Every structure is written in C-alpha cells, then in structure tokens.
Amino acid sequence: MIISARGLRKDFTVSRKVGRFRRERHVVSAVDGVDLTVERGELLGYIGPNGAGKSTTLKMLTGVLTPSAGEVTVCGLEPVAKRTTLARRIGVVFGQRSQLWWDLPLEDSFALLRHIYRVPEADHAARLKQCSDLLGLDEFRRTPVRQLSLGQRMRGELTAALLHGPEVLFLDEPTIGLDVLSKQAVRSFLGEVDRRGDTTVVLTTHDLADIEKLCRRLVVIDHGRVVHDGTLDELHARYRSRRTIVADLDSPWPEGLTLPGAVVTAVEADARRITLALDGMTAGEVVAALAQAVSLRDLSVQEPNIEDVVAKLYRDES
Amino acid sequence: MARVQAALVAAGFRRYATYRQATFAGAFTNTVFGFLRCYILLSVAATAGGVMAGYTGPQLASYVWLGQGLLAVVNSWTMLDLAERVRTGDVVADLLRPVDPLWTYLWTDLGRAVYAVLTRFLAPLVVGAVAFGLYVPQSLLTYPLFALSTLLAIVVCFACRYLIGLTAFWLLDIRGVMMFWVFVSGAASGLYFPLAILPDWLATVLWVATPFPSLLQAPLDVIVERGGTGHALLVCLGQVVWTVLLLLACRVAQASAVRKLVVQGG
C-alpha cells in the first residue's frame, strides 16, 4: 500500500459579509472524511465535479496542505512533515501550473532537475530518452518553454515529473485544454507508464475518456466524500447502464410494437430509426427478434456511455 | 561550489542572457542617467570648491558611474518572480521540490548578477572612464574588498526583495510594498546622492539601523577608498551582519508563510 488515507478532512474557514461591518465566519469542509488506499503500481482515476475536493485531496497527499483531521501516508511518510523527503519520491503535474523554467529551453529545465533531484547521469539520460521517444520531445527540446504550445509544454511537464523516477505520480488534470492529438499522446504515454508497473499514478480529470482508456479503478468524490470506489463496470452496474442497439429501418416502426428483453427508448427520423436499451437479453437475441419483426437497413450496438453514468452519479449526490 | 548550486547559477545567467535587447536598453538608460547625475554632482562639487562631502571630482565620477552599473547588478528595482508565483499559485511547484526555495532563488539570482556584471556593469564603467576619468584605487587590497562588498550587496538586496516577495503570502498584491521599497531603497542606499551629504545623525542611523547603505553606498565607498582600508573592512563587516540577519529573517518569514499556506490553504 503506497498511499493510505483514513478519515481525511480539510476544513476552510470562510468569512461572509453580513450587514455593513459585521462578518460572519463559517466552516466549509472541502474534503470530508475520505478513505483511500492505493496499491503500488495502480493507476487510479480520481474524479468529481468542480469544487468536489479533488485538488484539495491531492494537495494533502503531496504535503502542501495540512489535513484538518485524519491520517495520511504516502510512500510510508507523513506528507506535510516530510514534504522535502517525499518530494524526491513523488512527481506532480498540475495541468494549470508549470514547473518548468519559463525563459529556458526545455532541455535546460531537464538538466536543472537532474541536479536538483541529484539523479545519476546515466539514469537521467535513460529516463529522458524513454520519455522523449514516447512523447516526441526531440523537435522542441531546444525551444524556450514560453514559446511551447500547451500540448508540447504538457509533454515537457510529464517528462519533468518523471525524470527522478518517482514512485508515485500525481496528475491534476493533465489533459485540460489539449487538442485531440496531444490528448492521445498523453494518454498513450500514461498507458505505457502504467504497463511498466513501477510507478503508481493518481489521475484527476474532467475528461472521462481519460478514465475510460486508462483507469481500471475509479474513485468518484463529491462534496468532499467518496461516492464511488471501484471499476467503471461496477459504476455502470450500479446505475444499470445498459448497452443500446440503434437500428435504421426500411419502413416506419409499427407503433406499439414491443420486443422481449429490450425497451424502446427513442423513435426518430419518421420512425425509421429506433433505439433499444437491452434489458435482460443479449444483443444477439434482441437483434434476431428485431430482424424477424421489421426489415433492417443498418444496425449498431453501443456500449453504455461513461458521461451519462457519471452525470447520473453527480446529480444523485447533489 | 556543489553542482546543484553551479547549475542554478548557470540557469540564472542563461535566463537573463536570453534578453539581449533588454540588456542593451538597460545599459543605455543607465549610461544616459549617468551623464545627468555626474554633471549635477560635479557642478555641486565645483561650487563647493572641488570637494563635496569629502568626495573629490574623480571619486564622485566613480561613485556615479559604478553606482549606475551596480544598480543593475544588485537589481533593487526589479522584484523576484516569487510574488507573482505566490499570486498565481505556481509557488506550489517550488514547495514540491526537494530543495529550499530560498536557496534556489538565491543561486539563480547570483547567476543573474554575474550576467549583469559582465554587461550592465561594464558598459557604464567604460563610458564613465572614457568621458570623465574614474578614481584609481591606491591600494591593491581595494579590488578584492570591492568584489566582496559587491557580492554582499547582491545578497543583501536579494534578501530584501525575497522578504518583499514573501509578503505576497499575506497581501497577494505587493505593489504597495514594492513602491515603498523602490522609493526608500533609492534614497537611503546612496543611489540618488552620497549618504555623506546627509546630517551626521541621519547618515549614522541609516548605516547602523537599516540595510539600505549595504546595497550601493557600501561597495561604492570601498572602491573610492573613503576612509581607507580599515573603514572598508568595517563596511564589509556591517554588510556581513546584514546578510546574516536578513537571510535569517527570510528563513523565519518563509517558514511562517509556508505554514500559513499549508494550514489555511491558498
């Protein structure tokens, strides 16, 4: 167990203006009793709506914020008390902050980090080569960071966070604002980090495609509490997300027609396109029944949508 | 010097070496103001019979032209990135490094100062020497003492600016503090006029109770050999004391700023 948090809380005191001079203070719990354990080598998706407490949790795990209550250890260390020791063993990327030296070429930042983290030259070179191959850094490693595009900079940030060979990598919205290609590059890179298995990754994101492609385990937090901890499939099962069949028909769908094991959820395009949600039967059985009932032109089977199920979860909790 | 420090100094140097036009523009401005200040002070000295507050003509020229160069070396008018990083929250990245940000900033600033010595300091020095003729120190010991005094001035100025940067943890916007600093540090460091023209009691208070004379007046008095080697050593000793006190103050203020951030959140 490389990360362990029990009853983790963070309260902020907020003062609000009441009348002309008076201020009323009240306590807001950004994180309200989070229990979390992460095993070595896991890639954990940590998601939640804006203001749910994701970044606050991450700050407590990295030692830049003291918990109001609860116990937390990362790599066996108490983060705040051992922040500088822990810094050598973790890597952090905040999607909206930069840890690179703005005015210097990217490779100068990398060289500086080697000295700051006292990484042996051979290790540094090997890790840099690995990252460089996977992320295609060569074309812009001599460019000053201030001239990099967001996608290039994020590739640089990921590399910078990994050069000292951290045991845990914390990523706070690493794909925010990136174009499709950069997102894919970041995702396939993280997939590769995960496959190698020596780095534990905690990933917060609003892009659920990141989660779908990368994370076996998903922790959802809302109002400072964990509302789901498990696989994506378990989340779908909990909300009874169903696969759907979309069929284009030669003639309009006969009104009132029902099929066993499926529910009609939409009838569109002059009743020539129908959507059926599977309900207890396999896709094959439903398609066979459908083909007997009507004349089919085209057909597709769709997996349950992660956005929908997560939206349901967020709505339920609010 | 260990390799981390050397790497940070080199990074600070390279960072500023990127902006050549800014370097040129800065050196040009410093030189133009050098002419203005030099003519004014020399004419004041001329009306006073050639010597002003104990400075002869060549000493005054040295005071002005080396001062114009040192201004860029100690860099008292430009704030560190720290305050901006606190305001934007980027300071979190500084705290997540295995090294103390105070030292990271100090070594980087020393790299900047080395670059400034080679460019912004040398340019007005050469112009002043050609146009007015500068004071030539009588003792060889003066040169290393001047180098030491300048180094201490850089560190004292760094520590002052770091403290101002740290106020951002409480104030978020440091513009008020900065304007106050620019005004006071200019007047009290001997940038606008030699502190010796002030009433004795005021000059003494400034030298003993404030770090400002350590920024410029100290190295300038050392190089024009005001008061001889004994006085120069005393001036450097004073700078050492301020260096230690201010760096300690930085440590204490930083610990409290980080505690505030870490406990209350930012």
Side-chain angles (χ1 to χ4, degrees):
Chain A
M1 184 162 59
I2 196 155
I3 298 174
S4 143
R6 282 163 57 88
L8 195 59
R9 267 179 80 91
K10 183 67 199 178
D11 300 328
F12 292 112
T13 311
V14 186
S15 63
R16 201 179 51 191
K17 226 174 155 179
V18 187
R20 201 171 283 268
F21 299 109
R22 244 159 33 89
R23 278 180 169 276
E24 204 177 67
R25 314 188 90 197
H26 55 118
V27 174
V28 178
S29 297
V31 172
D32 191 5
V34 164
D35 295 320
L36 185 70
T37 54
V38 183
E39 299 298 330
R40 201 172 276 274
E42 254 189 297
L43 195 165
L44 174 83
Y46 193 63
I47 68 168
N50 290 325
K54 300 184 298 293
S55 297
T56 308
T57 313
L58 236 54
K59 282 180 184 163
M60 288 192 279
L61 294 179
T62 50
V64 287
L65 200 57
T66 312
S68 306
E71 287 164 26
V72 55
T73 57
V74 176
C75 303
L77 300 167
E78 192 196 326
V80 172
K82 300 278 177 200
R83 193 179 59 238
T84 3
T85 318
L86 185 61
R88 284 186 196 283
R89 299 174 58 181
I90 61 171
V92 186
V93 174
F94 292 108
Q96 322 213 40
R97 313 232 174 288
S98 181
Q99 56 178 326
L100 302 166
W101 280 263
W102 199 242
D103 311 84
L104 298 178
L106 196 53
E107 60 181 7
D108 286 18
S109 280
F110 295 155
L112 257 178
L113 287 170
R114 175 168 86 75
H115 291 291
I116 287 177
Y117 286 91
R118 300 209 178 104
V119 185
E121 198 154 0
D123 292 357
H124 175 88
R127 287 185 195 127
L128 184 55
K129 186 172 179 326
Q130 236 169 19
C131 292
S132 191
D133 290 347
L134 287 168
L135 290 166
L137 300 178
D138 275 337
E139 47 185 299
F140 52 86
R141 62 196 281 173
R142 296 186 153 277
T143 313
V145 172
R146 65 189 144 86
Q147 292 172 10
L148 295 180
S149 73
L150 184 60
Q152 291 172 331
R153 208 200 69 199
M154 191 48 64
R155 292 175 217 197
E157 300 276 357
L158 281 170
T159 306
L162 282 168
L163 284 176
H164 55 287
E167 292 164 54
V168 190
L169 180 62
F170 292 97
L171 303 169
D172 193 2
E173 303 188 25
T175 52
I176 196 165
L178 299 190
D179 64 42
V180 182
L181 286 179
S182 299
K183 269 187 191 173
Q184 278 176 356
V186 168
R187 277 181 204 141
S188 63
F189 177 72
L190 292 178
E192 184 57 38
V193 170
D194 184 36
R195 260 188 299 284
R196 273 189 265 139
D198 45 8
T199 314
T200 310
V201 182
V202 178
L203 167 72
T204 84
T205 183
H206 283 300
D207 192 332
L208 297 170
D210 291 345
I211 301 290
E212 210 165 18
K213 297 220 161 62
L214 291 170
C215 307
R216 281 179 298 279
R217 181 176 163 206
L218 177 65
V219 171
V220 186
I221 172 174
D222 199 6
H223 294 102
R225 291 201 187 91
V226 173
V227 294
H228 175 80
D229 184 349
T231 62
L232 189 56
D233 288 342
E234 284 164 358
L235 186 63
H236 283 307
R238 178 169 154 193
Y239 280 92
R240 307 191 34 178
S241 303
R242 294 176 292 192
R243 295 166 82 193
T244 50
I245 293 174
V246 179
D248 287 331
L249 314 175
D250 283 325
S251 52
W253 177 253
E255 211 171 317
L257 178 64
T258 55
L259 290 174
V263 181
V264 179
T265 56
V267 182
E268 297 156 308
D270 296 333
R272 283 166 201 271
R273 169 175 289 180
I274 56 157
T275 309
L276 296 160
L278 297 186
D279 192 16
M281 279 207 183
T282 66
E285 289 166 332
V286 173
V287 171
L290 189 62
Q292 284 198 339
V294 290
S295 162
L296 286 172
R297 174 175 296 183
D298 196 8
L299 186 120
S300 67
V301 181
Q302 290 171 358
E303 294 300 315
N305 187 333
I306 181 175
E307 307 248 338
D308 291 342
V309 69
V310 170
K312 272 186 203 158
L313 179 58
Y314 288 178
R315 260 199 304 274
D316 269 17
E317 297 300 327
S318 61
Chain B
M1 193 168 20
R3 294 165 84 177
V4 191
Q5 285 84 333
L8 286 167
V9 171
F13 184 98
R14 273 201 307 277
R15 191 184 154 189
Y16 282 83
T18 332
Y19 300 105
R20 292 190 195 135
Q21 283 165 331
T23 308
F24 178 80
F28 179 77
T29 312
N30 287 155
T31 307
V32 171
F33 275 91
F35 276 102
L36 284 174
R37 291 183 55 214
C38 201
Y39 282 125
I40 291 170
L41 285 181
L42 286 179
S43 63
V44 172
T47 51
V51 177
M52 184 188 111
Y55 294 92
T56 63
Q59 279 177 320
L60 277 178
S62 278
Y63 159 79
V64 167
W65 288 102
L66 273 78
Q68 288 302 102
L70 280 182
L71 176 61
V73 174
V74 300
N75 208 23
S76 58
W77 283 351
T78 315
M79 289 300 121
L80 299 162
D81 298 340
L82 179 64
E84 184 59 18
R85 289 178 69 82
V86 173
R87 205 178 59 75
T88 58
D90 282 350
V91 72
V92 167
D94 295 337
L95 295 178
L96 286 170
R97 300 240 186 268
V99 285
D100 187 330
L102 174 63
W103 306 125
T104 317
Y105 277 88
L106 174 61
W107 291 111
T108 321
D109 197 56
L110 286 175
R112 177 205 57 74
V114 172
Y115 176 71
V117 166
L118 295 178
T119 53
R120 304 277 303 269
F121 177 72
L122 282 182
L125 179 75
V126 170
V127 173
V130 172
F132 292 87
L134 300 179
Y135 175 82
V136 179
Q138 305 297 304
S139 159
L140 279 179
L141 195 61
T142 298
Y143 293 98
L145 277 175
F146 173 66
L148 172 68
S149 178
T150 302
L151 176 66
L152 291 166
I154 295 164
V155 181
V156 168
C157 191
F158 163 81
C160 291
R161 290 183 297 139
Y162 198 83
L163 281 173
I164 294 169
L166 285 175
T167 62
F169 277 97
W170 289 272
L171 304 175
L172 279 184
D173 188 339
I174 62 154
R175 274 177 296 185
V177 186
M178 200 183 115
M179 279 167 67
F180 179 75
W181 155 261
V182 167
F183 171 72
V184 176
S185 72
S189 68
L191 174 66
Y192 302 144
F193 46 79
L195 296 181
I197 69 167
L198 294 172
D200 275 349
W201 66 269
L202 184 53
T204 310
V205 167
L206 287 177
W207 275 103
V208 175
T210 76
F212 300 115
S214 297
L215 302 178
L216 284 172
Q217 191 69 62
L220 293 173
D221 276 356
V222 169
I223 194 70
V224 302
E225 297 182 321
R226 189 179 170 87
T229 309
H231 184 255
L233 284 170
L234 192 66
V235 164
C236 289
L237 183 68
Q239 284 182 295
V240 170
V241 172
W242 278 113
T243 305
V244 173
L245 284 179
L246 285 166
L247 286 177
L248 276 176
C250 286
R251 293 285 305 204
V252 173
Q254 177 173 279
S256 142
V258 170
R259 203 160 42 239
K260 176 184 179 295
L261 177 80
V262 167
V263 175
Q264 292 179 14

